[in-house]
Amino acid sequence: MSLEPFLAVFVITQFRKNLKNDGLVEKWNKYLNIGYFIAIGIFFFDVSFSAHKVALVFAHLYFLGVVIAPYYIDELKSSKQLAFALIPYAVAGLISDILEKWFPTFYDNHENTIQSLVIFSLIWAFSLWMINRKQSKALENERRQRFAEQEQNRMMAAMKVNLESEVRERTAELTKQTEELQLALSELKSTQAQLIQSEKMASLGELTAGIAHEIQNPLNFVNNFSEVSIELLEELKEEILDKLPDDVKEEADDIISDITQNLSKINQHGKRADAIVKGMLQHSRATTGKKEPTDINALADEYLRLSYHGLRAKDKSFNAGMKTSFDPELGKIEAIPQDLGRVLLNLFNNSFYSVTEKKKSLAEGYEPTVTVNTQKIKSASGANMVQITVEDNGTGIPQKVLDKIYQPFFTTKPTGQGTGLGLSMSYDIITKGHGGELKVETAEGQFARFIITLPTGNVEAA
């Protein structure tokens, strides 16, 4: 009985194991099973029939064919080491059995040599098989370790992705919280500034009210007695001067005229001082009004017409064109209507004054015009804002004084026609009282444009 069928089964089993590691066992499973059946068939053929020599040769050839298969089939190349170990034994066993069965005399004469060759090939096969097994185990361990590392890397990559996602979510949450805190801080600072301004204005109002009360009484005496003195001098000139001798009449007339002129100047500057005191009271007065939903379009239209008709009542020759462009979707905003009306009235009065002065110096063809626009805009941070533009084609503002126009008591109007408190008061009301912005754009001799930007507050524009 030959060992080759059993060895063939062993080799095919090793093929199956290597193919399984390479992921090819399903493709070759059918052929491996056929190999098992052939080996089993050779075994039964060897033990069941009398043709022992034929079965023996066939078993050797089949085993040799199985062993050399990795050299011809690429998908079995991982088993080349096993084939390299068993080929010498397969060849030596085949030669030994052929010589023993068909050439007994030659075999008997060289039996020791032939058996030594077979034993050596068997030792060679066993040694290489053990080495190959050890290497296979090392490779398997390395493969498992590499797979474990890959699995660990995959898990780490998945954890990294999850951590990055969590970091992004946390960062977005922190960014949102930071923005909310910054917005709350900005609102807090704005409220704080408004409260400080209100307290300052209240304190200043109390102080100036006391000062004005003390100044107003002597100032009234100065104005009243100057007017009365002028009237008395007029009576003196009309009734008593003619009764004086001619040699002193002319001299007395000159003295009376000088005194009258001086009293007129005193009266003029007294009234100027009275206007300044009233302007100071208006500028420093702390508003008692609260913010409420305010229709900006209606407010601007009302104070534009109030300014125009007020100037017409003072000067019948006054005339100017008015253009309005009100955004119908503007809606209402939170504001103090009385204070905002004072600002608009001051800007309209300045614009009408500017176009009137320009008309005096120009010939026919100039049409004095004051234009008022309102519109919704977005701030840099995306907040809803309302913009009011007051523009005139008057004398404009000289560049050299542009930085001073918001200073208290600074005015570009002639002496006696302005207190220099209108724009200063307007700037404080817009910036400190409403948290808005007041800007000016101008070209001397061409135009002046004042731009008011106000937040809508809790009442959103429509």
Side-chain angles (χ1 to χ4, degrees), residues 363-390:
E364 296 295 331
Y366 170 68
E367 296 182 2
T369 306
V370 175
T371 304
V372 184
N373 297 324
T374 62
Q375 62 177 333
K376 291 190 297 184
I377 62 170
K378 291 282 188 180
S379 67
S381 61
N384 290 327
M385 308 289 284
V386 169
Q387 188 177 84
I388 308 170
T389 304
V390 180

Side-chain angles (χ1 to χ4, degrees), residues 190-429:
S190 176
T191 303
Q192 184 183 31
Q194 293 178 23
L195 288 174
I196 292 173
Q197 174 66 12
S198 298
E199 290 296 327
K200 286 170 60 179
M201 295 298 286
S203 300
L204 186 59
E206 294 176 1
L207 177 64
T208 52
I211 295 173
H213 179 72
E214 296 299 326
I215 293 177
Q216 198 70 48
N217 288 332
L219 193 58
N220 288 337
F221 277 105
V222 170
N223 292 334
N224 292 336
F225 279 104
S226 62
E227 291 177 355
V228 171
S229 298
I230 291 173
E231 292 176 0
L232 290 174
L233 288 173
E234 290 296 330
E235 292 178 3
L236 177 65
K237 190 174 182 180
E238 292 175 359
E239 298 178 4
I240 301 176
L241 188 62
D242 292 337
K243 299 177 180 180
L244 294 176
D246 292 338
D247 56 340
V248 296
K249 183 177 180 180
E250 183 177 354
E251 184 178 355
D253 184 55
D254 292 338
I255 293 173
I256 291 173
S257 297
D258 290 340
I259 294 174
T260 302
Q261 185 177 1
N262 292 340
L263 289 172
S264 298
K265 291 292 184 182
I266 292 172
N267 184 260
Q268 177 184 351
H269 290 284
K271 291 181 178 178
R272 167 67 174 159
D274 183 66
I276 292 175
V277 170
K278 290 179 179 178
M280 288 176 63
L281 284 170
Q282 186 181 32
H283 183 269
S284 60
R285 185 177 68 241
T287 178
T288 57
K290 295 183 179 180
K291 287 186 178 180
E292 58 186 61
T294 303
D295 188 336
I296 296 298
N297 290 341
L299 191 70
D301 186 65
E302 175 187 351
Y303 278 91
L304 177 64
R305 301 187 185 283
L306 179 63
S307 173
Y308 179 80
H309 292 297
L311 293 173
R312 284 279 294 175
K314 292 180 182 179
D315 183 5
K316 298 300 182 182
S317 64
F318 167 78
N319 191 23
M322 294 182 293
K323 292 182 180 180
T324 58
S325 178
F326 297 141
D327 186 351
E329 303 297 326
L330 197 63
K332 296 182 178 182
I333 69 168
E334 278 196 348
I336 305 173
Q338 298 85 353
D339 287 358
L340 197 55
R342 290 163 61 191
V343 173
L344 293 173
L345 183 62
N346 180 70
L347 295 180
F348 296 151
N349 287 341
N350 287 346
S351 293
F352 283 129
Y353 173 82
S354 178
V355 297
T356 301
E357 291 299 309
K358 186 173 181 178
K359 186 175 182 180
K360 292 178 182 179
S361 61
L362 293 179
E364 296 295 331
Y366 170 68
E367 296 182 2
T369 306
V370 175
T371 304
V372 184
N373 297 324
T374 62
Q375 62 177 333
K376 291 190 297 184
I377 62 170
K378 291 282 188 180
S379 67
S381 61
N384 290 327
M385 308 289 284
V386 169
Q387 188 177 84
I388 308 170
T389 304
V390 180
E391 182 177 357
D392 65 73
N393 60 347
T395 58
I397 303 172
Q399 288 292 329
K400 62 182 179 180
V401 302
L402 197 57
D403 296 334
K404 303 178 183 179
I405 59 173
Y406 297 132
Q407 295 179 5
F409 304 107
F410 179 83
T411 179
T412 58
K413 297 177 182 177
T415 302
Q417 297 191 32
T419 63
L421 293 170
L423 284 179
S424 175
M425 175 190 66
S426 300
Y427 185 81
D428 284 348
I429 289 174

Side-chain angles (χ1 to χ4, degrees), residues 95-109:
I95 293 174
S96 175
D97 286 344
I98 289 175
L99 290 176
E100 183 181 1
K101 301 300 180 184
W102 276 280
F103 303 97
T105 303
F106 181 83
Y107 179 80
D108 291 339
N109 294 333

Side-chain angles (χ1 to χ4, degrees), residues 96-241:
S96 175
D97 286 344
I98 289 175
L99 290 176
E100 183 181 1
K101 301 300 180 184
W102 276 280
F103 303 97
T105 303
F106 181 83
Y107 179 80
D108 291 339
N109 294 333
H110 300 85
E111 182 178 1
N112 292 333
T113 303
I114 295 172
Q115 289 300 321
S116 298
L117 180 63
V118 172
I119 292 172
F120 177 77
S121 65
L122 187 60
I123 294 172
W124 164 268
F126 181 76
S127 300
L128 288 184
W129 178 74
M130 291 296 294
I131 294 172
N132 182 56
R133 183 180 180 185
K134 186 176 181 180
Q135 291 177 347
S136 297
K137 286 185 177 180
L139 290 173
E140 179 66 16
N141 291 333
E142 183 180 353
R143 186 186 66 82
R144 289 179 179 176
Q145 184 177 1
R146 186 168 61 251
F147 178 78
E149 290 177 354
Q150 291 176 351
E151 186 67 15
Q152 185 177 7
N153 291 336
R154 186 189 65 79
M155 292 177 63
M156 290 180 65
M159 291 177 61
K160 182 180 179 182
V161 171
N162 291 335
L163 286 173
E164 288 178 350
S165 177
E166 292 178 1
V167 168
R168 283 195 298 269
E169 292 176 359
R170 186 59 178 166
T171 302
E173 182 179 352
L174 290 174
T175 301
K176 183 179 179 181
Q177 292 178 355
T178 301
E179 291 176 351
E180 291 176 352
L181 288 174
Q182 289 177 345
L183 180 60
L185 180 61
S186 176
E187 292 177 352
L188 181 61
K189 287 182 177 179
S190 176
T191 303
Q192 184 183 31
Q194 293 178 23
L195 288 174
I196 292 173
Q197 174 66 12
S198 298
E199 290 296 327
K200 286 170 60 179
M201 295 298 286
S203 300
L204 186 59
E206 294 176 1
L207 177 64
T208 52
I211 295 173
H213 179 72
E214 296 299 326
I215 293 177
Q216 198 70 48
N217 288 332
L219 193 58
N220 288 337
F221 277 105
V222 170
N223 292 334
N224 292 336
F225 279 104
S226 62
E227 291 177 355
V228 171
S229 298
I230 291 173
E231 292 176 0
L232 290 174
L233 288 173
E234 290 296 330
E235 292 178 3
L236 177 65
K237 190 174 182 180
E238 292 175 359
E239 298 178 4
I240 301 176
L241 188 62

